[in-house]
Amino acid sequence: MRSPFEPELLIEARGAVRIVTLNRPEALNAANEQLHDAVVGVWRHIAADPEARAVVLTGAGRAFSAGGDFNHLRAVRLDRDKRRSEIDGARALVTEMVDFPLPIVAAVNGPAVGLGCNLAVLSDVVLIAESAYMADPHVGVGLTAADGGAPTWPLLMGLLRAKEYLFTSERIPAQQAVALGLANRVVPDAELLEQSVALAAKFAAQPPQAIQSTKRVLNLHVKRAITGILEYALAEEFQSFDTPEHQAIVDKFLSKTDSKA
């Protein structure tokens, strides 16, 4: 099945299951503008597919997603119109994934950082490879943790634990992610995609109205939990791009990258 979002996002059909693959492996699937737009738009595209019944979301190569591309972060910082578009896209991503009617299985095959972690926890079931980890490093790079960790993590792991991991930006290994409630179970790396597709196929075999309406009911908890919080958080994140701390962190990272080139 050819994806209209190629090359940044691939879609493969396996029966009633659609495998969506973040496809910037050379950048550890970090989100540039094109990939960010793709992960917003893909949900309505698949929802319009009458043969689709479930989705597996994964990453190409050795990462699920390393978060935001630093060159993209610099562009967003310098161009306020681009930044507004980015913030609008972040809002749309949360809304589109929460409202997406079909069950989503996240197959976290490697680091799921920032946007990658948000994509995982906005899915319905999360299988994580033994070697993978999660992290929301917004605070560590000088940004408000807006579109993922701050609105959703307290619902999944509790407020005190969410504060600890968001304030420190620490990595969360696979087993700890399960213990905290960010993932359902740990799977051997070599079996991750196979087990994820098999689970999605089980979901796809269920009566569609029943499973889709049940997902809508369950996601009302998410909607109620983030009502008002997401808008405030995104407004704060918009402002945090202007802080000297964020600018210094991005510039330092890119200068190191340039010196290695």
Side-chain angles (χ1 to χ4, degrees), residues 47-222:
D49 179 352
E51 304 301 320
R53 290 290 181 269
V55 172
V56 171
L57 177 63
T58 194
R62 58 191 180 92
F64 185 73
S65 173
D69 182 285
F70 271 74
N71 284 300
H72 180 56
L73 289 178
R74 173 183 276 176
V76 168
R77 184 190 88 205
L78 297 174
D79 185 332
R80 290 178 74 85
D81 289 337
K82 190 181 291 290
R83 190 191 314 175
R84 174 55 59 196
S85 177
E86 180 83 0
I87 294 296
D88 290 344
R91 180 189 302 105
L93 177 60
V94 174
T95 302
E96 292 294 329
M97 290 192 71
V98 171
D99 288 340
F100 181 64
L102 308 181
I104 306 168
V105 177
V108 180
N109 56 302
V113 179
L115 174 69
C117 189
N118 300 342
L119 288 169
V121 301
L122 287 169
S123 300
D124 300 300
V125 174
V126 181
L127 304 189
I128 184 168
E130 290 175 330
S131 65
Y133 63 85
M134 293 180 166
D136 188 330
H138 275 80
V139 170
V141 298
L143 294 174
T144 305
D147 53 330
T152 60
W153 282 17
L155 184 66
L156 299 170
M157 67 169 73
L159 185 59
L160 292 179
R161 286 176 170 176
K163 286 180 179 178
E164 177 183 355
Y165 285 103
L166 290 171
F167 290 174
T168 61
S169 300
E170 287 183 359
R171 294 181 178 182
I172 303 173
Q175 292 286 358
Q176 182 68 1
V178 172
L180 290 169
L182 294 181
N184 293 76
R185 61 179 179 267
V186 179
V187 177
D189 288 39
E191 299 176 18
L192 179 67
L193 186 59
E194 177 186 352
Q195 289 198 28
S196 299
V197 172
L199 181 58
K202 284 186 179 181
F203 295 157
Q206 295 282 58
Q209 190 278 338
I211 195 168
Q212 291 174 31
S213 61
T214 299
K215 173 174 173 171
R216 285 195 295 272
V217 171
L218 290 169
N219 275 1
L220 285 175
H221 294 282
V222 180

Side-chain angles (χ1 to χ4, degrees), residues 205-244:
Q206 295 282 58
Q209 190 278 338
I211 195 168
Q212 291 174 31
S213 61
T214 299
K215 173 174 173 171
R216 285 195 295 272
V217 171
L218 290 169
N219 275 1
L220 285 175
H221 294 282
V222 180
K223 286 188 169 186
R224 288 175 177 172
I226 67 175
T227 297
I229 296 173
L230 182 61
E231 289 302 322
Y232 176 75
L234 290 171
E236 290 289 334
E237 184 176 16
F238 184 92
Q239 297 299 327
S240 61
F241 275 97
D242 288 326
T243 62

